[in-house]
Amino acid sequence: MTNLFLPLVAKMDPTDYVGFTFFVGCMAMMAASAFFFLSLNQFDKKWRTSVLVSGLITFIAAVHYFYMRDYWASNMESPTFFRYVDWILTVPLMCVEFYLILKVAGAKKSLLTKMIVLSVIMLVTGYLGEAVYPGSAALWGFFSAVAYFAIVYEIWLGGAAKLAKEAGGDVLAAHKILCWFVLVGWIIYPLGYLVGTADGQWYSSFANLGLDMDVLYNIADAINKIGFGLVIYSLAVKKTA
Ligand SMILES: *C/C=C(C)/C=C/C=C(C)/C=C/C1=C(C)CCCC1(C)C
């Protein structure tokens, strides 16, 4: 007898690491959001916005992860579109975090605008290379990398770095940790891109590394979104105490 009913929840193969990391990603992002939101009351007013933004970042990611998990389970295909929609919302919010903590040292809106524009360039060019013109993935990836390094420059050596030094103390320490997240944590993304777009490119050997683009992106998201949020959270704790 044929089963006329499609199962509501697909089985998961125990070696489906993409499906597994999407599933864990949903739970981690959801738990982190609850943690950040429920902690809000304990902080001085001035720091609540920063922790609220941390929660928004993981919450937006949680919603996208539920979509992406289902998309993967149904199609066994990278949910590239939802991935980039998530990033285009959450990465500018991470730029907002830099701006908010540097406001004590007089950060101007122009710093925020500059960082958001750079992050949007980084992501739009990345999307073009990954989804629209995969044949020219190397070129689009290069443009994206230029914008990425401009962000790294701004926070490590540029105007944002100067403001952090002026702020000093806990703000400087938190800024430094966020800088490391951007330099080391974010570098996982271009690695994922090289693995995922390697087909027919000069870097085609990246396809043989035994790595998976979605697994790399999922690990990077968990580290960067939740880690970033926790840095802001502990800064708010210190500043409130
Ligand atoms: C929460 C999501 C985050 C922090 C996403 C960050 C994404 C990147 C830093 C992506 C960077 C890319 C390059 C530097 C070159 C290749 C294309 C991208 C978009 C993967």
Side-chain angles (χ1 to χ4, degrees):
M1 198 174 82
T2 51
N3 182 2
L4 296 173
F5 299 98
L6 284 167
L8 284 173
V9 178
K11 284 184 194 170
M12 200 187 294
D13 182 328
T15 62
D16 177 5
Y17 302 113
V18 175
F20 173 73
T21 50
F22 272 129
F23 192 87
V24 175
C26 292
M27 301 309 144
M29 297 294 181
M30 210 171 47
S33 308
F35 177 80
F36 293 132
F37 289 147
L38 292 171
S39 76
L40 281 177
N41 267 331
Q42 76 187 66
F43 302 118
D44 281 348
K45 253 213 169 111
K46 230 173 56 187
W47 291 97
R48 273 184 215 160
T49 318
S50 298
V51 179
L52 175 64
V53 173
S54 293
L56 288 177
I57 291 169
T58 52
F59 182 69
I60 292 170
V63 175
H64 284 83
Y65 265 76
F66 279 101
Y67 268 95
M68 292 197 287
R69 185 202 62 180
D70 287 352
Y71 185 95
W72 172 262
S74 313
N75 304 297
M76 286 289 145
E77 205 177 81
S78 291
T80 308
F81 178 77
F82 291 119
R83 174 83 72 189
Y84 275 85
V85 175
D86 173 346
W87 290 353
I88 208 110
L89 297 170
T90 52
V91 177
L93 283 174
M94 294 170 112
C95 298
V96 170
E97 294 282 37
F98 273 102
Y99 168 74
L100 285 176
I101 70 167
L102 295 176
K103 245 167 84 170
V104 290
K108 302 217 168 56
K109 283 268 159 60
S110 58
L111 170 73
L112 179 61
T113 312
K114 185 177 179 182
M115 300 232 341
I116 290 180
V117 168
L118 287 172
S119 67
V120 169
I121 293 173
M122 173 181 86
L123 295 172
V124 170
T125 50
Y127 183 76
L128 290 174
E130 212 175 295
V132 186
Y133 308 110
S136 324
L139 184 66
W140 290 108
F142 171 76
F143 291 142
S144 177
V146 170
Y148 166 66
F149 282 114
I151 296 172
V152 169
Y153 179 86
E154 178 61 36
I155 57 174
W156 275 90
L157 305 162
K162 279 197 202 91
L163 288 167
K165 274 203 201 89
E166 277 165 37
D170 294 331
V171 170
L172 176 61
H175 177 86
K176 264 280 140 62
I177 304 175
L178 294 184
C179 283
W180 280 107
F181 269 101
V182 173
L183 186 65
V184 181
W186 287 22
I187 208 79
I188 304 170
Y189 296 99
L191 175 63
Y193 181 91
L194 288 172
V195 168
T197 62
D199 222 17
Q201 306 285 346
W202 58 265
Y203 51 91
S204 60
S205 55
F206 274 83
N208 312 320
L209 291 177
L211 298 169
D212 184 280
M213 181 185 74
D214 283 293
V215 171
L216 288 167
Y217 285 168
N218 291 352
I219 292 171
D221 276 354
I223 292 174
N224 290 301
K225 291 182 164 66
I226 300 172
F228 229 76
L230 287 173
V231 174
I232 302 289
Y233 170 86
S234 51
L235 175 62
V237 169
K238 284 191 194 119
K239 287 293 187 183
T240 299

